[in-house]
Amino acid sequence: MALKRDVFRALKDIVGEENISEDLATLNAYAYHFEFGRCPLAEAVVLPAGTEEVQAIVRICNKHHVRFKPLSTGWGPWNSPGDKGAIQIDLRRLNRIIEINEKNMYAVVEPYVIGAQLQAELLKRGLNCNMIGAGSNTTALTGMKMAGYGWTGISMGVSGRNTLGTEWVTPTGEIIKTGSLSTDSGYFYSEGPGPGLRGLFGCTMGACGGMGICTKGAVKIYHWAGPPEPQIEGRESGYSIKITTDMKMKAWYTHFPSYDKLREALYKIAGTEISYTLSKISTLDIAVGLVETNNEFFKLYNDLQKLITVHGFLIIIVANSAKEFAYGEKVFHRILSETEGKTLQMLEEPCNQGKILWHIIRASMQPQGIFRPTGQFFTSFGTQESIDYSLNQMLYAYKLKKNLAEQGKIMPHLEEWSVGSIYDGGHASVIEHPILRHNTPEGLAGAREFAGQAFVAALDPGLNSHVGGITATPGCDAFYNAVGPGHSNLHLWLRKFKKEFDPQGVSEGNFYVTSENEYQEGPFKLPKPS
Ligand SMILES: Cc1cc2nc3c(=O)[nH]c(=O)nc-3n(C[C@H](O)[C@H](O)[C@H](O)COP(=O)(O)OP(=O)(O)OC[C@H]3O[C@@H](n4cnc5c(N)ncnc54)[C@H](O)[C@@H]3O)c2cc1C
């Protein structure tokens, strides 16, 4: 179903001939996503240059009842329309860092500024920014897109909380400003006056394109005690920060004799506030970060498996002074001795230390781990809950993966691959359980079976206990219908807002809610609401 010619012409008049395409090769490139494979094709892709062009496109969509789906860097299936008849709005021309406000500690960026770009500017100024674990290759304007979890959770929180004043083109094409920007008081604050719009527009959980388009916004920035001009060595995928004797920064990977000891250590460390990052990961991530080929990876991974009983956590301490660093190190080692924890010796070697540090500071490890082995992965999506809950989920996922691998439904090995960070001084934690998958229809079916079961298990508190358990995931009608009744009828409230702000349903809600209050089968099989 091609776009009607008058609609195509109207869009072309807005962005210019070179910034619109209906070319099949181009549309197919947008539609391919490694998790789901090929998603529905958009009818056209348009590349606006700024807020006014975005607004004009959205108005055309409303006039002609055409659905639209925005994308910033395009990481994952939630960027694709759910069905035919929609256009893709690629925001790559909105690529400016508008302001770095050192005094009030925020940066104003457009959606196609990526984390790596912003961070490069910030480190020079002794500042840093929150980035999601997906990588510094994703937008620096996180928070309004999807989950928002990353390595620096313990020191910087989740992306939703890092979002300050923003500018949005609503689903009907109005321009609105949120937080302090709404009263022209600048970008410095996220909420009010009046009801907070941050959650409504998906800044905390992510509306995945279902509530209009954010065209610029401010993110919090943080003090950076590490080197302002890091000396980087090595080559692509093996970059390493040069380790010097005066460095007040170090990474350790830990392992334990039992899960109870690991649990105890995580709680204790989290409460001390000594860490820049504190993440529960398996040695898979460590091995991936240290070597450059798949063969080397499997060798190292197998060697580490023999050495390690219970995979622990990665911690990085970055201190302002030698005294502060010595304090952090002492606290860390004392907790390890109380919990019988050990550190992985190979990380003491400067070359390995430099690689892990730089991978985590730059948030570059996950893409490498996920894409180098097979190019295909799938994940279970985590739930924000307690450290205890995360660890229990991890053990559940581990058994589930083993079981499915034995049946040949998912790739064997790597069953203990779980990735997650600790937040809020140990009061919260998010963990997800990725798998690698075969690039075949059966591989996709097996991966979906795993993710579906793990996902339903992760949602357990949200479904049954009416508390927590609904974050860290892209939604869909089925998802909100399932968790809504346990959460003050969230599914009904979201739809009320959706109808009000998007009466024609043009802001594609396939990973959010649609206006219709009907049950739809989403990407995951979830229980039907009772
Ligand atoms: C390999 C992999 C690992 C991941 N790991 C993590 C992780 O560790 N932590 C985590 O939090 N997430 C993770 N994710 C998911 C990730 O959060 C999203 O892919 C992320 O939002 C990408 O950032 P982006 O804004 O560049 O978004 P895009 O991928 O461009 O878009 C994400 C969603 O937001 C919508 N959107 C994009 N731009 C706008 C805009 N300007 N206004 C309104 N809506 C918009 C899109 O329609 C889409 O639904 C991972 C994804 C992948 C593929």
Side-chain angles (χ1 to χ4, degrees):
M1 182 175 68
L3 280 184
K4 287 189 184 140
R5 288 306 82 192
D6 56 334
V7 179
F8 183 81
R9 268 194 305 276
L11 293 171
K12 191 174 75 178
D13 288 347
I14 296 166
V15 293
E17 195 161 1
E18 65 282 16
N19 293 308
I20 185 165
S21 175
E22 291 179 303
D23 175 57
L24 265 185
T26 306
L27 298 179
N28 270 290
Y30 277 92
Y32 183 77
H33 291 289
F34 32 81
E35 275 192 316
F36 285 14
R38 200 159 160 282
C39 297
L41 282 194
E43 305 303 332
V45 53
V46 284
L47 286 79
T51 308
E52 286 69 31
E53 288 191 10
V54 172
Q55 181 182 38
I57 294 167
V58 168
R59 286 189 167 158
I60 291 293
C61 288
N62 274 273
K63 187 170 167 197
H64 298 277
H65 310 283
V66 173
R67 285 173 293 117
F68 62 83
K69 184 74 155 182
L71 69 92
S72 291
T73 63
W75 263 58
W78 30 88
N79 288 283
S80 280
D83 205 350
K84 288 179 181 160
I87 61 162
Q88 188 96 63
I89 304 181
D90 182 342
L91 299 165
R92 73 181 56 222
R93 293 172 72 207
L94 279 74
N95 58 6
R96 294 173 309 145
I97 297 177
I98 295 168
E99 182 189 358
I100 292 178
N101 191 318
E102 296 184 42
K103 185 165 170 243
N104 295 307
M105 306 280 278
Y106 65 77
V108 183
V109 293
E110 293 183 325
Y112 197 67
V113 172
I114 60 166
Q117 250 175 301
L118 180 62
Q119 191 190 52
E121 292 305 320
L122 292 175
L123 292 188
K124 293 181 217 164
R125 296 164 163 86
L127 296 166
N128 200 358
C129 56
N130 174 252
M131 282 193 268
I132 58 170
S136 49
N137 47 296
T138 60
T139 179
L141 191 52
T142 49
M144 61 275 308
K145 311 301 168 46
M146 237 195 80
Y149 296 92
W151 298 107
T152 47
I154 191 87
S155 57
M156 302 185 194
V158 292
S159 296
R161 292 204 208 128
N162 284 284
T163 307
L164 302 170
T166 56
E167 176 190 87
W168 283 80
V169 174
T170 68
T172 51
E174 277 176 70
I175 296 176
I176 63 153
K177 294 171 180 174
T178 66
S180 50
L181 203 58
S182 63
T183 50
D184 287 331
S185 316
Y187 282 94
F188 69 94
Y189 199 63
S190 52
E191 299 286 2
L197 292 178
R198 184 162 52 155
L200 180 59
F201 281 91
C203 301
T204 45
M205 224 174 109
C208 285
M211 276 298 261
I213 300 179
C214 180
T215 43
K216 58 173 85 80
V219 291
K220 280 187 199 173
I221 55 181
Y222 294 83
H223 171 63
W224 167 242
E229 288 182 7
Q231 303 298 303
I232 305 306
E233 302 170 323
R235 60 181 187 190
E236 194 65 56
S237 93
Y239 286 128
S240 163
I241 184 170
K242 189 168 181 205
I243 302 298
T244 55
T245 46
D246 61 343
M247 218 168 225
K248 298 174 286 293
M249 176 166 86
K250 188 166 172 179
W252 294 267
Y253 183 72
T254 61
H255 53 108
F256 294 85
S258 70
Y259 285 100
D260 283 341
K261 294 286 178 194
L262 161 65
R263 209 176 290 258
E264 190 188 337
L266 265 178
Y267 272 108
K268 282 188 165 165
I269 301 263
T272 62
E273 300 190 4
I274 54 171
S275 27
Y276 166 70
T277 68
L278 182 61
S279 302
K280 170 74 197 78
I281 59 172
S282 76
T283 48
L284 175 136
D285 291 278
I286 299 291
V288 150
L290 294 183
V291 298
E292 293 181 37
T293 67
N294 286 340
N295 281 344
E296 287 173 299
F297 160 71
F298 270 106
K299 180 168 181 332
L300 178 55
Y301 178 72
N302 288 333
D303 289 348
L304 291 175
Q305 289 295 90
K306 286 176 208 145
L307 188 77
I308 287 176
T309 316
V310 169
H311 296 235
F313 54 83
L314 183 82
I315 176 174
I316 295 180
I317 295 179
V318 186
N320 288 287
S321 64
K323 204 171 163 190
E324 186 190 332
F325 184 75
Y327 169 78
E329 205 175 10
K330 193 170 163 189
V331 170
F332 168 61
H333 285 296
R334 179 175 296 176
I335 291 173
L336 277 199
S337 72
E338 287 166 5
T339 53
E340 299 169 47
K342 292 202 170 90
T343 57
L344 189 63
Q345 280 310 302
M346 65 184 297
L347 277 199
E348 296 293 323
E349 291 164 30
C351 129
N352 291 337
Q353 177 69 208
K355 277 186 186 167
I356 289 296
L357 274 175
W358 195 237
H359 264 311
I360 302 293
I361 293 165
R362 288 301 262 180
S364 61
M365 195 140 80
Q366 254 210 56
Q368 187 160 306
I370 281 161
F371 298 121
R372 198 168 59 199
T374 65
Q376 301 288 334
F377 93 118
F378 218 89
T379 191
S380 63
F381 289 108
T383 302
Q384 178 156 317
E385 243 272 6
S386 59
I387 292 177
D388 268 315
Y389 193 76
S390 281
L391 293 183
N392 291 343
Q393 284 295 314
M394 182 186 79
L395 293 174
Y396 170 79
Y398 178 66
K399 280 191 202 139
L400 185 61
K401 285 182 192 176
K402 269 210 163 331
N403 188 314
L404 292 173
E406 272 161 27
Q407 296 174 49
K409 291 184 172 175
I410 63 170
M411 275 190 190
H413 315 301
L414 319 177
E415 283 87 357
E416 57 288 282
W417 188 16
S418 286
V419 189
S421 283
I422 315 300
Y423 296 82
D424 303 344
H427 292 277
S429 159
V430 176
I431 199 158
E432 59 179 285
H433 322 286
I435 53 169
L436 298 177
R437 71 170 176 88
H438 295 286
N439 192 9
T440 58
E442 296 75 32
L444 183 58
R448 281 191 160 162
E449 187 174 336
F450 162 71
Q453 287 188 42
F455 191 48
V456 171
L459 286 174
D460 180 62
L463 288 170
N464 298 321
S465 329
H466 296 213
V467 287
I470 59 165
T471 52
T473 173
C476 59
D477 278 314
F479 169 78
Y480 285 110
N481 285 343
V483 298
H487 292 83
S488 312
N489 286 328
L490 174 70
H491 58 313
L492 305 181
W493 285 106
L494 283 184
R495 282 199 184 90
K496 273 185 205 277
F497 286 121
K498 174 78 174 155
K499 274 186 191 159
E500 195 61 35
F501 280 87
D502 186 13
Q504 304 210 52
V506 289
S507 194
E508 176 67 276
N510 58 333
F511 278 93
Y512 190 48
V513 288
T514 57
S515 311
E516 301 81 46
N517 191 4
E518 66 189 32
Y519 179 82
Q520 285 183 8
E521 194 66 69
F524 305 102
K525 281 199 187 310
L526 288 166
K528 279 197 185 211
S530 49

